Amino acid sequence: MSDIGRTSAVALVGVQGSLVEVEAHLTSQLPTFSIIGLPDASLGEARERVRSAAAVADCPLPSRRITVNLTPASVPKRGSGFDLAIAMAVLAAAGTAPGADRRTVYVGELGLDGRVRPVPGIIPVVLAARAAGVDRVVLPVGNLAEAQAVPGVALTAVDSLRSAAIDAGAALPEGFVDPVLPPPAPDDTRPPAELADVVGNAVGVRAVVAAAAGGHHVLLLGPPGAGKTMLAERLPALLPDLEPDAALEVAAVRSVAGHGARSWTRRPPWEAPHHSASAAALIGGGSGQLRPGAVSRATRGVLFLDEATEFPRVVLDALRQPLESGRITVHRAGGSAEFPARCQLVLAANPCPCGNAGALGGPPCTCVPSAVRRYLGRLSGPLLDRIDIRVAVPRVTTGTLRASEGATPSTAEAKRVVDDARARMRDRLHGTGWSRNAEVSGPWLREDGRAAPGATEVLDRGLDIGTLTMRGWDRVMRLAWTMADLTGDERPERRHVERALALRTAL
């Protein structure tokens, strides 16, 4: 005699989920419990968690041979989030929970006391279930608030295996269980930094406003204390709120990263790793389940690398491919995972090891020319070629302070200008798949997005003599379009191209 029960679960690879059918087969042989279908070590330990949780829930597993198959077997399954699906499949095969079937996705880790514990990555799990067209998702109470960010899916929260079994038709008495809840999320919201606080750095303010409007990457080069970090920290407040699809993409990455209830946000994220961060910390990785790195956690937002020349060159060069494609594929011996990486990169760097090279006023530079070259050489040419805005941020003096008093716009004023420029971009790029000038392709710039006649002469001359690459030509023109949008002009003219070049003079 044999019986089969089926439920569904979701296997995560990066932020992509695949529907997995969980089959439990009971036969009249010596009592054993085996799990097949490419489980990892933590999933293999589910046998003991399921057996203990079922006993506590007053629905012990039958004393028969239990074989659980996770199909398709070619998809790697990792983590303890399959526990609830396995337990419900076994109970369905035993007839204890007849309502459990493959049209319901179960997700959650079981404790030995029968409680269902929250798991990371619940948002991509629910997204995968919605894409597969399943009826509903049964998940831990501790994941409910996070999962509600995904519309169009029926959610059922359970605090224990007993609750899940009763929901599936088990004839068990109701009982109170103290649910496992995630720790309260710390209130890390801060008031937006005020742009008007920046004084004496008109070029830096202009660069930050242009970057916010067009989505351009930025390099701020200057001596210590010039205000590079201050400028960078004011960029997120100028960015518009995320569209629903973009916010869901951000929430999926943050969910996999373990942000819990704080995964959902309409504000662009901000990531600022220390310069001691490794390449894996920046682009993602891990020995077990692959986790997103800082470049992915900053997707749709800002990745700020302060003291960029202190990062190892190999770490900085790892950013070249994701900056170009907007995605990063992490390969490890156990498999690969793809993460979104559509972020704005902001680099802040000193011009030399002592920080005083080229600075007007202050102590003189004590670095030999070879040390300066080695220091700035950590920013490779191919990486710099991908950065649209490269400006020198000078040290503030009394003269510049007096001259700029009251000239810096407030955050609210600058944001209105940025929003107007973004609206013009959206109207112009409607139907192209792009929404910002930094995203448009080179062919578009030379066809539908051509500048006014004669506007690109200076760029064409730089391309002919080798001071500008074709990628550099494209990036200057993208920035020129942003300068035109900020002033409300129909298309870039010579003055817009010159302003774009002026924001690309450092290095």
Side-chain angles (χ1 to χ4, degrees), residues 62-402:
S63 297
R64 297 163 66 182
R65 178 184 177 87
I66 303 172
T67 303
V68 174
N69 181 37
L70 309 176
T71 183
S74 58
V75 176
K77 293 90 179 174
R78 299 184 175 92
S80 57
F82 289 83
D83 289 1
L84 186 58
I86 292 173
M88 294 305 296
V90 175
L91 294 180
T96 306
D101 58 32
R102 71 178 71 184
R103 301 297 304 168
T104 301
V105 166
Y106 291 90
V107 58
E109 175 186 334
L110 290 176
L112 298 182
D113 56 0
R115 293 187 296 173
V116 182
R117 299 176 178 274
V119 294
I122 196 67
I123 288 180
V125 166
V126 178
L127 284 171
R130 185 181 68 176
V134 299
D135 294 337
R136 65 186 180 123
V137 177
V138 178
L139 47 84
V141 171
N143 284 131
L144 180 60
E146 184 181 357
Q148 287 172 334
V150 183
V153 183
L155 303 175
T156 300
V158 295
D159 54 16
S160 63
L161 178 58
R162 175 194 289 268
S163 298
I166 293 173
D167 176 75
L172 297 172
E174 296 281 354
F176 174 77
V177 174
D178 187 17
V180 180
L181 300 176
D187 185 11
D188 55 359
T189 57
R190 295 180 299 173
E194 177 54 57
L195 186 63
D197 292 343
V198 180
V199 292
N201 268 324
V203 174
V205 170
R206 199 154 51 241
V208 169
V209 172
H216 305 284
H217 305 309
V218 186
L219 167 65
L220 303 172
L221 189 72
K228 305 183 294 295
T229 301
M230 189 177 186
L231 284 165
E233 289 175 342
R234 276 140 185 82
L235 175 58
L238 302 180
L239 300 176
D241 287 345
L242 299 173
E243 297 293 329
D245 289 345
L248 206 52
E249 181 183 51
V250 170
V253 175
R254 289 162 63 91
S255 179
V256 172
H259 284 242
R262 295 182 295 120
S263 297
W264 176 258
T265 177
R266 292 298 299 270
R267 292 300 304 153
W270 163 272
E271 289 287 329
H274 190 260
H275 58 74
S276 61
S278 65
L282 202 60
I283 66 171
S287 56
Q289 187 167 349
L290 299 180
R291 299 289 186 182
V295 69
S296 296
R297 296 194 303 273
T299 194
R300 307 285 183 172
V302 179
L303 174 63
F304 176 48
L305 303 186
D306 200 3
E307 304 293 347
T309 43
E310 298 295 336
F311 283 80
R313 178 166 175 165
V314 65
V315 174
L316 293 174
D317 282 345
L319 294 172
R320 285 157 52 177
Q321 183 266 334
L323 289 182
E324 198 71 21
S325 66
R327 304 196 71 79
I328 180 71
T329 302
V330 180
H331 295 272
R332 294 293 184 268
S336 62
E338 187 178 74
F339 298 99
R342 197 181 303 276
C343 66
Q344 275 185 263
L345 177 66
V346 179
L347 304 177
N350 295 330
C352 66
C354 78
N356 296 313
L360 298 177
C365 177
T366 58
C367 306
V368 297
S370 60
V372 176
R373 286 195 300 271
R374 281 196 306 271
Y375 190 71
L376 294 179
R378 297 179 187 178
L379 303 175
S380 66
L383 176 63
L384 289 174
D385 212 25
R386 289 167 166 82
I387 298 176
D388 302 357
I389 299 174
R390 308 197 301 244
V391 296
V393 181
R395 184 177 280 121
V396 178
T397 64
T398 305
T400 57
L401 192 62
R402 290 189 182 126

